[in-house]
Amino acid sequence: MAIKLKTDYLNGFVEDHEYSLIKSAVAAAHETLIEKGDPAEKPIGWMTLPVDYDKEEFDRIEAAAKKIQKSCDIFIAIGIGGSYLGARAAIEFVKGANYNAMKKETPDVYFAGNTIDPDALHDLLSLCEGKDICINVISKSGSTTEPAAAFRVFRELLEKKYGEAGAKERIFVTTDKKDVPGKLKHFAIEKGYETFVVPDDIGGRYSVLSAVGLLPIAVAGCDIKKMMQGAEKAMRDFSSTDIEKNDCYKYAAIRNLLLRKGYEIEMFVSYKPSFMYMNEWLKQLFGESEGKDKKGLFPASVIYSTDLHSMGQYLQDGRRIIFETVVDVLESNYSVKVPFDASNIDNLNFLADKDFHYVNKQALLGTLDAHVSGGVPNVVLELDKMDEENFGYTVYFFELACALSGYIGGVNPFNQPGVEVYKKNMFKLLGKPE
Ligand code: PA5
């Protein structure tokens, strides 16, 4: 498993001497990153999580996942932001975008508490009719409005369906470890729900490889041990502070160099629909980490070739403020070939017997050349394949790149003060008591 950075498509956009000139900023950012601080202010526990995660809790997660698999048709993970996107990204990355519709031994996994839309909630409640259900409410703070409101709805549903005692076996809570009266942890203990911990030293968007992501991911039948092994390998592969020996740090440096030249938007590109939620996770990771103090790259995403038929025109020919970060998955999990057709009405017989993976790759190569010649810098990250190990590896790569990149850009990559503003206004409009 590996991610390899290719800089061939940056020629003419980033010059060799610029890498030398940014080395000292990378070294300084690294020092700031590893400098010990108050874990609440500087949560860097994710950096060593692949080796020092709580093994006893990990076993409990695997046991809970088995129990859930046996006792329900539908598992609902209730959370938002960092308490939602990573698990969804992982399941789609490993099991495919149509996991729920596939024939399988494991429960369908749905996500709630990530919007306040009644129609979405209604649809999910309808899907639950006549089915056995388990739920996992995931909230570090335990007080985020969206998941808390959805938790009320599903807890009521479970208590009506199974009674208090039955519901207790089907409700799992992932939250802060401190038992404080009036908080979710305390409530869960009082009710007798099994609880899992969001570690103090890991912030929401860096938490997918903690219980936050691991329980839903394991319920879907993914091998979470392999994920941790992948993350551990990345931790070791990207330990050098020299950008010539560390593709992760070099990627972080390139993002900053391009931003300084006016490329304000980083477009994450994948040629695989099962990467779509990974893109969503990336947008949250980078957007919340870097977009502050009126600074930061704007993260956006596309799935090609579908979006070449919508956004492709802009990328090729619109304002030159975008660079692309293309995740090139080298190996597909399955092989499907283009059939020969005697009628050849579409003139595609020249592709007969060619694998779709091969055709997809030519689309990628052709697009790279087209966009680069149109003035769009392209960073290429070669990823071996989409499986559990590579998911863990990819998560670690981007988390590290994001934290380092934030410090190179002069922002704190671990807070999100801007998110509070909408909440304050919404609560005022809703008449929340002080
Ligand atoms: O990255 C973050 O910290 C946020 O996106 C949080 O994960 C999100 O706001 C949900 O918070 P909580 O887990 O406290 O409900």
Side-chain angles (χ1 to χ4, degrees), residues 83-331:
S83 292
Y84 153 58
L85 285 164
R88 187 158 186 180
I91 294 169
E92 298 205 3
F93 187 103
V94 175
K95 299 282 176 185
N98 294 312
Y99 165 78
N100 282 342
M102 306 290 277
K103 209 169 153 207
K104 58 192 180 301
E105 301 292 311
T106 47
D108 289 349
V109 177
Y110 287 98
F111 295 88
N114 54 68
T115 82
I116 324 171
D117 175 33
D119 297 344
L121 200 52
H122 166 269
D123 291 352
L124 189 48
L125 288 166
S126 302
L127 282 170
C128 289
E129 274 168 32
K131 305 276 181 172
D132 276 318
I133 308 148
C134 287
I135 63 174
N136 177 202
V137 59
I138 309 161
S139 178
K140 182 168 181 157
S141 61
S143 56
T144 307
T145 311
E146 291 89 339
F151 183 39
R152 284 186 177 215
V153 173
F154 286 100
R155 205 176 73 229
E156 184 183 71
L157 177 79
L158 262 66
E159 287 179 354
K160 275 193 185 140
K161 193 172 163 90
Y162 302 105
E164 279 248 356
K168 168 169 95 84
E169 298 303 314
R170 294 174 175 274
I171 298 177
F172 299 82
V173 174
T174 306
T175 189
D176 194 69
K177 79 166 185 289
K178 284 186 286 300
D179 175 5
V180 180
K183 298 283 264 182
L184 181 58
K185 173 77 173 201
H186 191 74
F187 178 73
I189 294 171
E190 277 186 345
K191 288 284 223 174
Y193 305 149
E194 179 158 16
T195 62
F196 299 97
V197 172
V198 189
D200 286 342
D201 58 354
I202 300 182
R205 57 192 175 274
Y206 293 82
S207 70
V208 54
L209 297 177
S210 74
V212 169
L214 293 181
L215 181 59
I217 295 169
V219 169
C222 302
D223 186 334
I224 55 173
K225 270 201 189 81
K226 286 188 177 165
M227 273 183 190
M228 298 312 284
Q229 285 161 4
E232 183 184 344
K233 180 157 190 308
M235 187 183 100
R236 301 199 190 289
D237 284 357
F238 304 117
S239 59
S240 168
T241 55
D242 179 353
I243 59 171
E244 294 314 326
K245 295 186 189 136
N246 184 336
D247 277 357
C248 178
Y249 277 20
K250 190 163 184 176
Y251 164 61
I254 290 167
R255 301 175 75 249
N256 278 276
L257 288 171
L258 289 170
L259 174 59
R260 289 173 198 178
K261 292 178 181 205
Y263 297 101
E264 295 170 5
I265 297 173
E266 178 173 24
M267 186 67 77
F268 290 102
V269 178
S270 171
Y271 284 71
K272 291 193 161 283
S274 47
F275 203 86
M276 190 185 283
Y277 267 87
M278 197 67 196
N279 275 346
E280 296 304 312
W281 178 82
L282 285 168
K283 286 191 282 189
Q284 190 218 350
L285 178 67
F286 284 103
E288 262 190 353
S289 299
E290 293 189 308
K292 55 194 67 153
D293 305 331
K294 311 292 172 280
K295 288 194 268 195
L297 276 163
F298 182 83
S301 70
V302 284
I303 299 291
Y304 291 161
S305 65
T306 183
D307 289 332
L308 287 172
H309 296 257
S310 57
M311 298 294 284
Q313 170 62 34
Y314 197 108
L315 264 298
Q316 186 67 47
D317 208 20
R319 292 178 66 209
R320 301 298 74 183
I321 52 169
I322 303 174
F323 73 91
E324 291 174 293
T325 295
V326 182
V327 178
D328 177 10
V329 181
L330 299 181
E331 202 185 309

Side-chain angles (χ1 to χ4, degrees), residues 332-371:
S332 283
N333 292 337
Y334 301 100
S335 162
V336 179
K337 290 192 169 154
V338 180
F340 173 79
D341 180 359
S343 72
N344 200 25
I345 48 155
D346 48 15
N347 288 319
L348 281 188
N349 272 349
F350 75 102
L351 291 180
D353 219 29
K354 295 267 190 316
D355 203 291
F356 272 79
H357 178 77
Y358 167 80
V359 181
N360 210 13
K361 183 71 181 216
Q362 307 321 303
L364 181 150
L365 293 172
T367 307
L368 275 174
D369 275 339
H371 288 184

